[in-house]
Amino acid sequence: MEPKSLIIALFLLSLFFGSLSATPTRKIKARNPCKRLVFYFHDIIYNGKNSNNATSAMVGAPAWANTTIMAGQNHFGDLIVFDDPITLDNNLHSTPVGRAQGFYLYDRKDIFTAWMGFSFVFNSTQHKGSINFAGADPLMNKTRDISVVGGTGDFFMARGIATLMTDAFEGEVYFRLRVDIKLYECW
């Protein structure tokens, strides 16, 4: 065998055996969350008549729409910013433990869905800091998961999953989400 062919053969063998050692030798185990929290967030969308109670407002809309009436076609193109109360139970009038602050964007014409980016900012004696969320929200599903992408204070560098469930809604003005947070990285 020529030296050049021998070198190529040895190189290919080293790649093959090197890739075998990079293969995981153990199965990935399902982990239990290190912290689990459940909150409710209440969103009251400004509709041109409820400025005293509104906790969110449309700040962007397609050319065919306006910023007080949701667009047709599954609200496609509407951008909503919010500063909603977070409670420990499903009662809007319960004492808030923090605020849900962020935005959601209705991102498909063919189905009712949104993309969300928001934080839970806590101001209670029980929790200090924030939890940050981001992800797609397929609203027609009974439950849906979005990522917990970080946090501050008591939730420093938190990672996990938040399961959202629409707990109640009143037309296009009010909805309440139950947010079941499971953190898998806690400090």
Side-chain angles (χ1 to χ4, degrees):
M1 187 179 254
E2 287 182 39
K4 193 175 193 179
S5 298
L6 182 61
I7 291 172
I8 292 173
L10 288 173
F11 176 73
L12 292 174
L13 279 172
S14 69
L15 283 177
F16 174 74
F17 287 113
S19 67
L20 288 178
S21 66
T23 306
T25 57
R26 62 186 173 108
K27 290 184 178 182
I28 297 173
K29 295 179 183 177
R31 299 185 323 175
N32 291 326
C34 53
K35 188 175 272 193
R36 189 165 184 181
L37 306 157
V38 176
F39 298 103
Y40 292 82
F41 99 62
H42 308 266
D43 192 65
I44 303 169
I45 302 168
Y46 175 68
N47 65 1
K49 302 173 189 164
N50 63 346
S51 61
N52 290 339
N53 296 334
T55 61
S56 64
M58 188 182 329
V59 296
W64 66 83
N66 66 50
T67 55
T68 56
I69 299 171
M70 302 293 267
Q73 297 180 321
N74 297 311
H75 306 317
F76 176 71
D78 288 345
L79 172 63
I80 313 295
V81 295
F82 59 89
D83 181 19
D84 297 336
I86 306 168
T87 60
L88 294 173
D89 61 20
N90 62 6
N91 185 346
L92 172 62
H93 303 292
S94 292
T95 303
V97 295
R99 307 292 294 182
Q101 299 171 331
F103 69 92
Y104 51 95
L105 168 67
Y106 292 101
D107 58 351
R108 290 188 58 184
K109 280 185 177 181
D110 58 334
I111 191 167
F112 198 51
T113 185
W115 194 93
M116 305 179 84
F118 64 97
S119 298
F120 278 5
V121 181
F122 295 97
N123 59 4
S124 69
T125 55
Q126 191 175 19
H127 300 292
K128 297 285 185 208
S130 65
I131 303 175
N132 305 312
F133 306 86
D137 184 10
L139 298 161
M140 299 312 292
N141 296 352
K142 181 176 177 156
T143 62
R144 51 257 185 220
D145 292 332
I146 62 170
S147 300
V148 175
V149 296
T152 64
D154 294 346
F155 308 101
F156 179 72
M157 293 182 62
R159 301 285 186 276
I161 296 292
T163 302
L164 306 179
M165 184 178 84
T166 304
D167 190 55
F169 67 93
E170 294 177 19
E172 295 182 342
V173 176
Y174 173 79
F175 68 84
R176 178 178 60 231
L177 291 182
R178 181 182 187 274
V179 183
D180 182 1
I181 303 166
K182 295 167 280 301
L183 301 179
Y184 293 93
E185 288 186 25
C186 303
W187 294 89

